[in-house]
Amino acid sequence: MSATMTAVDVPPPAPEEPGARLPWWWVRPTAAVLSGGLLFLSFPPRPLWWLAVPAFALLGWTLRGRRLRAGFGLGYLAGLGFLLPLLVWTGEEVGAGPWLALVAAESLFVAAACLLVAAVSRLPAWPVFAAAAWIVGEAARARVPFGGFPWGKIAFGQADGLFLPLAAVGGTPVLGFAVALCGFGLYEAVRALRAYRATGTLPRGPLAVAALSLLAPVTAVLAAQPLVSDAPEDGTATVAAIQGNVPRLGLDFNAQRRAVLDNHARRTEQLAADVAAGRAPKPDFVLWPENSSDLDPYRNGDARFVIDEAVRAIGVPTVIGAVVTPETGPLRNTLIQWDPRRGPVDTYDKRHVQPFGEYIPMRSFVRIFNKDVDRVRRDFGPGSRVGVFDLAGTRVGLATCYEAAFDWAVRDTVTHGARLISVPSNNATFGRSEMTYQQLAMSRVRAVEHSRSVVVPVTSGVSAIIRPDGTIVRESRMFTPDALVAKVPLRSSLTPATRMGTLPEAALVALAAAGLGWAAYGAVVRRRARREPTTP
């Protein structure tokens, strides 16, 4: 080569493409996390329910056209963005380990749902199948492992939302499906608009799908409005919910069990004095929270005396939340119907006890990772009977705390004749976290789903009395003793959601399966077409 090479012999550098050096690989993962964060922000106590729609739109952009492995990975990031902040209360007293382990496990279900979304995302009507695929993930998460963990169902963030009447149509699956469908439909509408701007041609197919995805849920909401009613079909009942408060926050409150009992007895006796003085209406019955007596009144004469005195003072049937300690076998998280003259006359044992809270699965294995499991020294056992008490002529259905998250646990009480639902809870363990507001939103959704008044007596807040249309008529402040008294309508009619039970969820699962079958068939056809030799 000549040593006298001129500049013209050197090839000019290739022109740099705009944005070529930008690390585009992080855009979709960031969008996945952001979509999960928007879902979290749509949940109470924030009144931002509508954020769930753009959250699903962003998730649709993130997943559409992705390979299955990418869909799973992006879905896992979305699950972390959603569940990490939503479930932070689970580590309030036991540390970050259990919280992070729970989120890591539950995010797998979100990832699996997003894998299914990616699989159907190339179909002509993909928003419909994608929304159904999301419900498949929620259905699985509500059942496994250890009986499931449905906390964070999209429906539970919609207590203040436009779509709430759909809970009466098909329960939480239909409500969640409508929200996801609108979100995916919103992205499809944006995609169709961008295609129009790029080509000048209106893509009729995607536009029709987008219009259907956006308009069908809204039309269904309007059609469902007559199902939402607070008319007193069976008269009314005046109910009181007692919030006695706890001596201090955290798990250590169990060491002061007598103080918790005294707080609830004292607040009941104060209500009795207010009734006698004409400052409060006399209730037909009184509801105490879960764990309002951690002393077993069947074995502790002092606790029985305190409860009996309080119930006699108010003079009406009262439901007491107690920890029952048999000589042998598991503990029982029990609600006791206490008559002012006869004492305890009926009981309901919580049917779905909380894993890693009320009992420890695989205790010896879990202890390797967290010694806090030994705080639960004796496991609770589940009951088997549906809880419905006859309180002064009113049949009251019982779903204790954690059970309110499970569709079947609340529905069973209504199909067994409940005219009103009670959700006694104990959330003192979770401090001032958002847990109590998330749980209250569940009860509001249940009120509309089954067209029943719902009473939520809680040890430390927030207690509430809810009408069948989901509106709150009385509400307490957190960690403040109170007695909420209100007249509420009693209803006996059954909504379509109550009548159909799991059928709407099963139909959505079948819809997702049909979409997956269609997508798989299309993939096979395309693969065969690529293998066939072209005709010259």
Side-chain angles (χ1 to χ4, degrees), residues 91-107:
E92 183 78 15
E93 286 295 329
V94 295
W99 161 50
L100 295 176
L102 175 64
V103 170
E106 295 301 311
S107 294

Side-chain angles (χ1 to χ4, degrees), residues 118-145:
V120 301
S121 64
R122 295 183 184 275
L123 296 178
W126 75 270
V128 178
F129 297 113
W134 182 271
I135 300 305
V136 171
E138 288 193 341
R141 193 157 64 88
R143 289 168 171 81
V144 293

Side-chain angles (χ1 to χ4, degrees), residues 20-316:
R21 293 185 177 180
L22 293 177
W24 289 110
W25 61 266
W26 58 265
V27 175
R28 288 188 188 271
T30 301
V33 174
L34 180 58
S35 67
L38 290 175
L39 283 179
F40 161 68
L41 292 175
S42 73
F43 273 69
R46 293 159 296 278
L48 303 176
W49 58 269
W50 51 270
L51 281 178
V53 174
F56 278 106
L58 183 58
L59 187 64
W61 175 82
T62 304
L63 297 173
R64 189 177 186 279
R66 300 297 96 189
R67 295 181 181 274
L68 299 186
R69 184 171 61 182
F72 185 89
L74 293 169
Y76 196 78
L77 292 176
L80 293 177
F82 175 34
L83 297 175
L84 267 173
L86 185 79
L87 302 179
V88 67
W89 50 269
T90 60
E92 183 78 15
E93 286 295 329
V94 295
W99 161 50
L100 295 176
L102 175 64
V103 170
E106 295 301 311
S107 294
L108 290 172
F109 291 94
V110 179
C114 290
L115 180 151
L116 300 182
V117 171
V120 301
S121 64
R122 295 183 184 275
L123 296 178
W126 75 270
V128 178
F129 297 113
W134 182 271
I135 300 305
V136 171
E138 288 193 341
R141 193 157 64 88
R143 289 168 171 81
V144 293
F146 312 119
F149 187 77
W151 212 281
K153 274 189 170 185
I154 296 304
F156 294 147
Q158 298 296 308
D160 290 305
L162 167 71
F163 302 99
L164 181 59
L166 293 178
V169 176
T172 59
V174 167
L175 176 52
F177 172 78
V179 175
L181 179 60
C182 269
F184 292 136
L186 176 61
Y187 167 61
E188 186 70 353
V190 172
R191 199 172 71 89
L193 179 60
R194 291 184 63 188
Y196 173 70
R197 287 182 175 179
T199 65
T201 303
L202 194 63
R204 295 183 180 181
L207 187 62
V209 170
L212 174 66
S213 301
L214 291 169
L215 294 178
V218 175
T219 303
V221 167
L222 296 176
Q225 287 292 343
L227 297 175
V228 182
S229 173
D230 62 357
E233 295 174 332
D234 300 283
T236 61
T238 301
V239 58
I242 302 297
Q243 178 172 302
N245 203 13
V246 297
R248 64 172 182 259
L249 307 186
L251 289 174
D252 287 342
F253 87 93
N254 280 315
Q256 303 182 47
R257 295 174 295 177
R258 175 58 192 268
V260 175
L261 172 58
D262 286 345
N263 285 352
H264 287 84
R266 188 180 305 115
R267 194 62 191 84
T268 303
E269 290 166 351
Q270 182 179 337
L271 174 61
D274 291 341
V275 170
R279 294 187 294 267
K282 185 178 179 63
D284 296 313
F285 51 89
V286 174
L287 302 171
W288 284 19
E290 174 193 34
N291 298 145
S292 44
S293 176
D294 278 337
L295 296 170
D296 184 349
Y298 295 108
R299 296 169 60 83
N300 188 304
D302 192 36
R304 183 179 183 119
F305 176 79
V306 170
I307 296 171
D308 207 46
E309 287 293 296
V311 176
R312 287 179 183 272
I314 194 64
V316 297

Side-chain angles (χ1 to χ4, degrees), residues 510-535:
L511 178 62
L516 290 171
W518 186 2
Y521 174 76
V524 170
V525 170
R526 289 191 298 271
R527 191 178 300 114
R528 287 178 177 175
R530 286 195 298 267
R531 291 176 179 175
E532 291 178 358
T534 57
T535 303

